[in-house]
């Protein structure tokens, strides 16, 4: 299948690359199909791209990359929505907000994207922990991560690489299905 994106042009992907959000995302309840894109020209972020609306794409990071680890007991609604068993380990992604001053970038750790990797089902879960921030500052944490591993792109230090469709670096819109 081919999807149109405003950021990457036309992108060809396989149907098994699509993540299904049965309830949509917060603020985008009508959008149910997304794909994770890996732009080789971006060393930090993967992109959660809508398959239904070309202009909707969010930069995302795995929380471990900026030093956050979730220990969540999902409620029954979350587990049923994700078609997961309580003992399954999902993948987590956080939507990143990047203002004009990138040193002020934040991650929404209160409402992560939770993914049942095997089923390709995802849900944005609002967690009940009041210590989690909607706007967690992450720039300094990312900066220290770069200093620790200057030769390794930040995004390749996580496991989201297994779920992404890698875009070709020879031109946007052409993809490499090598992942």
């Amino acid at each position: 299948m081919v999807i149109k994106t405003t950021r990457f042009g036309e992108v060809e992907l396989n149907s098994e690359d699509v993540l299904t959000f049965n309830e949509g995302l917060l603020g985008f309840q009508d959008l149910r199909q997304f794909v994770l894109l890996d732009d080789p020209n971006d060393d930090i972020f993967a992109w959660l791209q809508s398959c239904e609306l070309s202009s909707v794409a969010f930069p995302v990071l795995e929380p471990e990359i900026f030093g956050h680890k979730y220990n969540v007991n999902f409620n029954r609604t979350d587990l049923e929505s994700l078609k997961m068993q309580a003992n399954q380990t999902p993948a987590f992604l956080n939507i990143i907000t990047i203002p004009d001053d990138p040193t002020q970038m934040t991650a929404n750790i209160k409402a992560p994207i939770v993914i049942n990797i095997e089923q390709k089902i995802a849900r944005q879960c609002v967690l009940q922990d009041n210590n989690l921030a909607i706007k967690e500052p992450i720039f300094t944490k990312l900066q220290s991560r770069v200093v620790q591993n200057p030769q390794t792109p930040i995004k390749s230090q996580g496991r989201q690489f297994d779920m992404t469709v890698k875009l070709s670096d020879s031109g946007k819109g052409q993809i490499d299905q090598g992942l």
Side-chain angles (χ1 to χ4, degrees), residues 15 45 53 61 129 179:
S15 60
F45 305 105
L53 188 58
L61 278 176
D129 185 343
L179 292 179

Side-chain angles (χ1 to χ4, degrees), residues 5-144:
T5 73
T6 56
R7 180 174 296 273
F8 304 106
E10 289 188 352
V11 176
E12 184 177 347
L13 50 102
N14 297 315
S15 60
E16 57 267 15
D17 296 324
V18 175
L19 297 172
T20 300
F21 289 73
N22 291 321
E23 296 102 18
L25 286 171
L26 298 174
F28 298 89
Q29 284 80 5
D30 294 335
L31 302 178
R32 307 294 171 95
Q33 305 291 312
F34 285 83
V35 64
L36 280 171
L37 299 178
D38 176 17
D39 180 357
N41 299 310
D42 185 336
D43 288 341
I44 300 175
F45 305 105
W47 290 85
L48 185 64
Q49 170 69 54
S50 169
C51 298
E52 299 156 303
L53 188 58
S54 63
S55 61
V56 175
F58 303 98
V60 293
L61 278 176
E62 292 177 67
E64 293 85 1
I65 289 176
F66 53 86
H68 185 78
K69 183 170 175 71
Y70 286 102
N71 184 12
V72 178
N73 291 319
F74 292 105
N75 62 38
R76 194 174 82 197
T77 302
D78 291 333
L79 291 172
E80 288 175 359
S81 177
L82 290 163
K83 295 186 178 176
M84 281 186 3
Q85 302 298 315
N87 61 354
Q88 278 185 275
T89 303
F92 291 91
L93 293 173
N94 297 103
I95 294 177
I96 307 300
T97 301
I98 308 170
D100 290 339
D101 178 1
T103 65
Q104 302 300 312
M105 77 171 68
T106 59
N108 181 349
I109 61 172
K110 178 77 172 173
I113 306 297
V114 182
I115 304 170
N116 177 337
I117 298 168
E118 291 81 24
Q119 299 280 327
K120 299 287 186 177
I121 297 172
R123 183 168 201 242
Q124 188 171 18
C125 296
V126 179
L127 303 177
Q128 299 305 309
D129 185 343
N130 290 329
N131 294 317
L132 300 175
I134 294 173
K135 294 184 175 184
E136 177 73 20
I138 62 169
F139 181 80
T140 303
K141 296 170 186 171
L142 290 177
Q143 197 173 35
S144 68

